[in-house]
Amino acid sequence: MAPAAAKLLLTDLASGIDRVPDNYIRSEADRPNLTEVEASDASSIPLVDLQGLSGPNRDDIIRQIGRACQQDGFFQIKNHGIPEEKVQAIMNIAREFFQLPESERLKNYSDDPTKSTRLSTSFNLKTEKVSNWRDFLRLHCYPLEEYMHEWPTNPPSFRKEVGEYCTRVRELVFKLLEAISESLGLEREYISQNLGKHGQHMAMNYYPPCPQPELTYGLPGHTDPNLITILLQDDVPGLQVLRNGKWVAVNPIPNTFIVNIGDQMQVISNDKYKSVLHRAVVNCNTDRISIPTFYCPSPEGLIRPAQGLIDHEHPAVYRSFTYEEYYHKFWNRGLRTECCLDMFKIPSA
């Protein structure tokens, strides 16, 4: 049996230990302080019902979305149009994948962040000083036909189920992008027409039970570098969002997704909408799975504040840049609390 230190994946290490290895332990100033986290109640996290988005309630729903983007940077959605059985199927597939034997999972392993399909651990093994308590399978999923052949073939229905889910989520993203464009006072198609050829990535995050969850993170506080993230989580709490200087637990509601505004949306909105700090904490009793879909510009997509949101009172906050330039900076500096956006701001006169 290989020694514990030789394990490439946390899943295979965590099952045999009763304390957190040193390379996962955060300094005291950088720990989750789990006792200070506020519980979310129904009123603290906006929940938007998309049921009437194509009907007479459209304007009201768009106002709700705009308010959530401006005040919170994230919201939950119900009646989103993705059938419950599709959501359950993707969650089951993810769980089956992470329960495969180590040798089977490792067929997908790579620590090369440029690979478009890879299983890895933590965040960026090559640059980080402290590891994060998660394994993840990362997939590129648009255009589907360019990437699906790279995906795992075990579990056997993986490609079919994940492909169908990706297509459904993309349709949902377009509905949301239209609503967000309108909420900013822009043409309905404005955002989707300013992302180059578009990109869609997805992660299946697996957070094993942790013997000392107060010492480490699943993922530390960070903003998402992409445009918009659609998060599916299982029924285990773990996501926390920073609101008014306090961490708030976002407890899962069945049949909902969490939508969060990413850094590119903050740029396009010229700082009207905020990309929000969030983190994942772990627990000692049970594993947790989350499946975020990251919708983004294609690498050559040129991102800049929307012309319609710039005037004498509201000068452009950011210079224009390609998504490739942004993502490269984000990836290499690691998950830091300071947002990468500051590096792209126009110095104020």
Side-chain angles (χ1 to χ4, degrees):
M1 194 67 158
K7 296 290 185 191
L8 287 172
L9 294 168
L10 174 64
T11 307
D12 307 304
L13 167 67
S15 55
I17 56 175
D18 56 11
R19 51 182 291 276
V20 170
D22 290 348
N23 59 310
Y24 288 91
I25 296 177
R26 297 268 159 183
S27 65
E28 283 198 36
D30 186 30
R31 289 180 187 170
N33 284 333
L34 298 172
T35 53
E36 292 173 24
V37 173
E38 295 188 353
S40 67
D41 57 40
S43 62
S44 68
I45 311 295
L47 176 61
V48 179
D49 187 344
L50 298 185
Q51 181 80 57
L53 195 54
S54 304
N57 293 343
R58 181 175 180 85
D59 289 351
D60 182 47
I61 296 168
I62 285 171
R63 270 193 298 276
Q64 289 177 46
I65 289 173
R67 196 161 54 239
C69 291
Q70 193 163 7
Q71 296 174 0
D72 300 279
F74 67 98
F75 52 98
Q76 298 173 92
I77 51 172
K78 65 179 183 178
N79 293 318
H80 41 68
I82 301 181
E84 197 178 330
E85 60 271 18
K86 290 280 166 229
V87 171
Q88 203 48 60
I90 190 89
M91 200 46 91
N92 292 344
I93 281 284
R95 188 163 293 283
E96 282 177 50
F97 177 83
F98 285 107
Q99 288 173 345
L100 289 169
E102 181 182 13
S103 58
E104 191 61 35
R105 273 177 287 121
L106 284 174
K107 291 176 182 174
N108 305 283
Y109 182 83
S110 172
D111 63 7
D112 175 4
T114 63
K115 283 197 71 170
S116 47
T117 299
R118 68 190 187 101
L119 174 68
S120 194
T121 192
S122 191
F123 177 70
N124 185 347
L125 295 172
K126 295 181 176 177
T127 60
E128 64 198 12
K129 294 181 176 63
V130 185
S131 296
N132 301 301
W133 199 265
R134 78 159 183 161
D135 289 338
F136 65 92
L137 178 66
R138 182 117 188 173
L139 309 169
H140 283 224
C141 30
Y142 179 77
L144 264 181
E145 58 278 8
E146 280 184 31
Y147 297 110
M148 206 186 228
H149 67 276
E150 303 173 354
W151 293 358
T153 51
N154 197 359
S157 60
F158 187 96
R159 292 181 180 179
K160 175 180 177 292
E161 295 292 358
V162 176
E164 287 179 12
Y165 177 79
C166 290
T167 301
R168 295 282 195 151
V169 171
R170 189 162 180 268
E171 291 165 1
L172 172 60
V173 165
F174 277 114
K175 278 200 286 197
L176 290 168
L177 292 184
E178 287 183 353
I180 292 169
S181 280
E182 287 187 48
S183 75
L184 286 165
L186 301 168
E187 291 289 325
R188 187 180 285 199
E189 305 292 328
Y190 180 86
I191 295 174
S192 62
Q193 286 175 352
N194 283 276
L195 304 173
K197 297 184 188 124
H198 294 218
Q200 183 179 342
H201 306 168
M202 175 180 165
M204 292 180 169
N205 293 320
Y206 182 73
Y207 303 99
C210 175
Q212 297 165 293
E214 69 283 358
L215 299 182
T216 191
Y217 288 107
L219 282 173
H222 64 284
T223 62
D224 286 353
N226 49 292
L227 178 76
I228 190 172
T229 301
I230 312 291
L231 177 74
L232 172 64
Q233 41 180 356
D234 65 9
D235 55 1
V236 179
L239 175 68
Q240 298 180 352
V241 176
L242 194 66
R243 297 188 81 199
N244 307 320
K246 289 198 163 63
W247 288 103
V248 179
V250 184
N251 293 330
I253 301 173
N255 301 320
T256 64
F257 289 97
I258 289 165
V259 178
N260 73 271
I261 295 305
D263 294 350
Q264 308 313 306
M265 191 73 83
Q266 183 165 333
V267 173
I268 291 169
S269 74
N270 204 32
D271 262 0
K272 188 172 181 185
Y273 292 171
K274 292 289 189 280
S275 180
V276 75
L277 279 168
H278 54 285
R279 66 185 189 180
V281 298
V282 290
N283 73 84
C284 54
N285 298 317
T286 181
D287 57 6
R288 174 175 177 259
I289 289 175
S290 72
I291 305 177
T293 293
F294 306 106
Y295 208 82
C296 51
S298 51
E300 81 295 339
L302 196 63
I303 304 301
R304 56 164 77 96
Q307 201 60 47
L309 301 175
I310 298 168
D311 57 30
H312 186 62
E313 255 99 71
H314 307 93
V317 179
Y318 303 95
R319 65 174 176 84
S320 57
F321 52 85
T322 63
Y323 185 57
E324 184 169 39
E325 181 189 357
Y326 191 90
Y327 195 78
H328 187 71
K329 281 197 168 63
F330 171 86
W331 183 259
N332 286 330
R333 62 203 287 282
L335 293 175
R336 292 196 206 163
T337 305
E338 322 84 76
C339 188
C340 195
L341 279 172
D342 292 341
M343 301 163 78
F344 293 85
K345 283 189 169 168
I346 297 171
S348 45

